Amino acid sequence: MTDTFATAALPRTDARSHPQQLSQLLRNLSLTAGPKITLRDLAVAMEDRSFGAFLVVFALPNLIPLPPGSTFILGLPLIFVAWQMLASRHARIWLPKRMGDYAFENATFFVFVNRISPWLQRAETLIKPRGWFLGGRLAERVIGLLALILAIVIFLPIPFGNWLPAFALAVIGFAHMERDGLGLVAGALIGVVSLIVAGTIIAAAAAVLTFVV
């Protein structure tokens, strides 16, 4: 079965079409939704900012110290989102029916939004609509390619090599949501640095193994 959300291709919009900041958008979603909110509801509310929104959602848990092997689970959704950002025909994320139907209590969501709103509002003073240059899918696909590479690095069991790519994806995702071209460039630069760091770690580990063997 296909998700009806996937079949609707919406027109592209620019920064002026998104007067609402993320903190306000989430609060309004909770206030207007029913007793439950699905991931599809969240994606529809985000419209063509949904790629960035879901990058943030799945990148943030990777910034928390977790047991070894957790990145295998947490990295897969990032690969799923980044691949769509790169390859999808649509300007917004597609969710399989089972994933899109996943629902959580609106009351819990409202409490969550209230807790993170102060942090979001602080971030929104730094990341805000300006200098947006992703006017079409081609430019967005380039960012999607970088996001995919970073997601794959997060998925791999690289010691101390996952946090910086996850931070880069969180910045890229937030900048994408807020239509901040400067923030997007900053996130991309952090991403490139994180790839250099991960490559250095892999090369060092290979050298040590070669020396030991």
Side-chain angles (χ1 to χ4, degrees):
M1 297 180 66
T2 58
D3 190 342
T4 54
F5 173 43
T7 61
L10 296 184
R12 301 287 302 178
T13 53
D14 59 21
R16 293 170 298 177
S17 303
H18 294 296
Q20 279 192 336
Q21 293 181 312
L22 178 62
S23 57
Q24 188 60 47
L25 189 150
L26 293 176
R27 186 180 297 273
N28 288 345
L29 173 62
S30 181
L31 292 174
T32 57
K36 290 184 178 291
I37 295 177
T38 65
L39 287 180
R40 184 179 296 104
D41 293 332
L42 183 59
V44 170
M46 292 294 176
E47 298 180 343
D48 60 338
R49 295 192 289 177
S50 58
F51 287 130
F54 279 82
L55 280 179
V56 173
V57 167
F58 293 126
L60 288 180
N62 288 279
L63 299 178
I64 303 171
L66 294 169
S70 300
T71 54
F72 280 107
I73 300 174
L74 297 175
L76 283 175
L78 281 171
I79 293 175
F80 173 77
V81 175
W83 171 253
Q84 286 196 47
M85 196 173 185
L86 169 65
S88 176
R89 295 184 296 108
H90 304 288
R92 52 194 259 189
I93 196 170
W94 171 84
L95 298 175
K97 189 177 188 305
R98 180 172 295 183
M99 182 183 293
D101 288 342
Y102 180 80
F104 37 89
E105 296 292 335
N106 190 0
T108 303
F109 179 74
F110 186 76
V111 172
F112 171 74
V113 169
N114 280 337
R115 287 182 177 176
I116 67 170
S117 285
W119 298 94
L120 286 178
Q121 288 166 0
R122 290 174 191 171
E124 286 163 353
T125 62
L126 299 174
I127 299 181
K128 51 194 173 183
R130 57 186 168 185
W132 189 243
F133 54 87
L134 296 188
R137 282 293 287 135
L138 179 60
E140 196 168 55
R141 288 179 197 277
V142 175
I143 299 299
L145 176 60
L146 175 60
L148 179 60
I149 295 171
L150 292 171
I152 292 172
V153 171
I154 293 172
F155 176 76
L156 297 175
I158 303 173
F160 310 106
N162 307 113
W163 191 91
L164 197 56
F167 178 67
L169 281 181
V171 173
I172 289 171
F174 204 92
H176 184 276
M177 284 190 297
E178 296 297 329
R179 295 299 191 250
D180 185 352
L182 182 59
L184 193 66
V185 170
L189 290 176
I190 296 171
V192 171
V193 171
S194 73
L195 293 179
I196 295 173
V197 171
T200 302
I201 293 173
I202 293 173
V208 170
L209 289 175
T210 302
F211 178 76
V212 171
V213 174

